[in-house]
Every structure is written in structure tokens, then in C-alpha cells.
Amino acid sequence: MALNASQQRTAATLVGTLQGILGLEGACGAVGNMMAESGLYPGSSHANDRGKPSAGLSQWRADRFEKLKSMASSGGKSWQRLDVQAAYLKKELNGPYKSCRIGCSSASTPERASEIWGQKFEKFAGYKDLGGREHTR
């Protein structure tokens, strides 16, 4: 799938932002997952698998989405801004999702980093990992 100019800029910004903490493979794997989640549109919003709103690059939901909005509001900015979401990603990866940061930064391929991102950051279910194992939430 070819990216349009907006998606290319967003991908480049995110890889540049995340590479310092996730490594190149980790950043590329994470951004690939965000492409699938949101099309790399920071203002993206959809109903999640439970019918509740999910929004942003990583389709945050529930308390994580509320924390994103609160962080944005405290800085007088919209949660839909790329810079706000990039900062929030870094905050989560250096806080409650530190295990994801550690795992992605040690991944040897973007595919492996994508799998780790799914397991530890998105916590998605109903997929088979690279080893063929089925995962549930």
C-alpha cells in the first residue's frame, strides 16, 4: 500500500521520534502497527471491538485516551496533533509500557518489533505470532 504525502510525513516524524528509544527496527515495527490502526491519521477515531471509542495513531481507548486528552489539554493543545501524540507515546513507553520499549528496542526485525508492539502496547487478541501461536487478550 502506497502512503500519501501526509502519511509519509507522519511516518517519518514518528520513526524519527521513536528511533531514539526503540531503535530503527522497533520504530518501524511500531509505526507499521499504527498504520494498520489509524492509517497514520492522528485525528482518526473508530468504535473499538467493544463498541467504545478508540482514537489517535494507536487507537487509544478508555483511560489511555482520557490521559492523552488530559495531557493535550494541560498544554493548551488538541489531542489530535501529531506532536502531542508523539510525546504521549514516549511518555507511555517510558512509564507503564516500559516492557514494550525494552522488547521493541531489542527486536532484530521490524516484524518482530511489530509483534512485540501488538502484545505489549496494543494488547490485541486473536492473532497468530511469527511462531504460529494463537494469542488472546
Side-chain angles (χ1 to χ4, degrees):
M1 174 181 187
L3 302 180
N4 66 35
S6 174
Q7 290 169 311
Q8 289 174 14
R9 285 190 301 275
T10 299
T13 297
L14 289 170
V15 169
T17 298
L18 295 175
Q19 186 174 354
I21 60 173
L22 298 180
L24 181 58
E25 291 79 7
C28 289
V31 171
N33 281 29
M34 287 182 241
M35 177 65 195
E37 289 289 326
S38 64
L40 294 179
Y41 295 109
S44 178
S45 181
H46 304 283
N48 65 30
D49 59 348
R50 295 184 179 121
K52 304 287 184 185
S54 293
L57 293 166
S58 291
Q59 293 295 286
W60 288 284
R61 62 182 178 187
D63 66 322
R64 291 175 76 186
F65 181 43
E66 292 303 317
K67 289 176 184 175
L68 167 63
K69 291 192 298 186
S70 177
M71 185 179 121
S73 177
S74 71
K77 297 180 179 180
S78 167
W79 67 265
Q80 296 171 318
R81 291 177 52 133
L82 175 58
D83 62 328
V84 169
Q85 291 187 35
Y88 187 66
L89 282 164
K90 288 174 72 173
K91 182 178 180 177
E92 285 198 319
L93 291 167
N94 285 313
Y97 294 87
K98 182 179 178 181
S99 67
C100 178
R101 177 178 52 83
I102 292 167
C104 285
S105 66
S106 66
S108 59
T109 66
E111 293 83 7
R112 179 63 184 134
S114 172
E115 186 177 88
I116 293 166
W117 188 266
Q119 293 167 348
K120 297 183 178 287
F121 191 85
E122 294 175 10
K123 299 184 179 185
F124 55 61
Y127 75 100
K128 290 187 179 177
D129 64 23
L130 295 176
R133 293 176 300 272
E134 184 79 26
H135 290 265
T136 59
R137 193 169 291 172

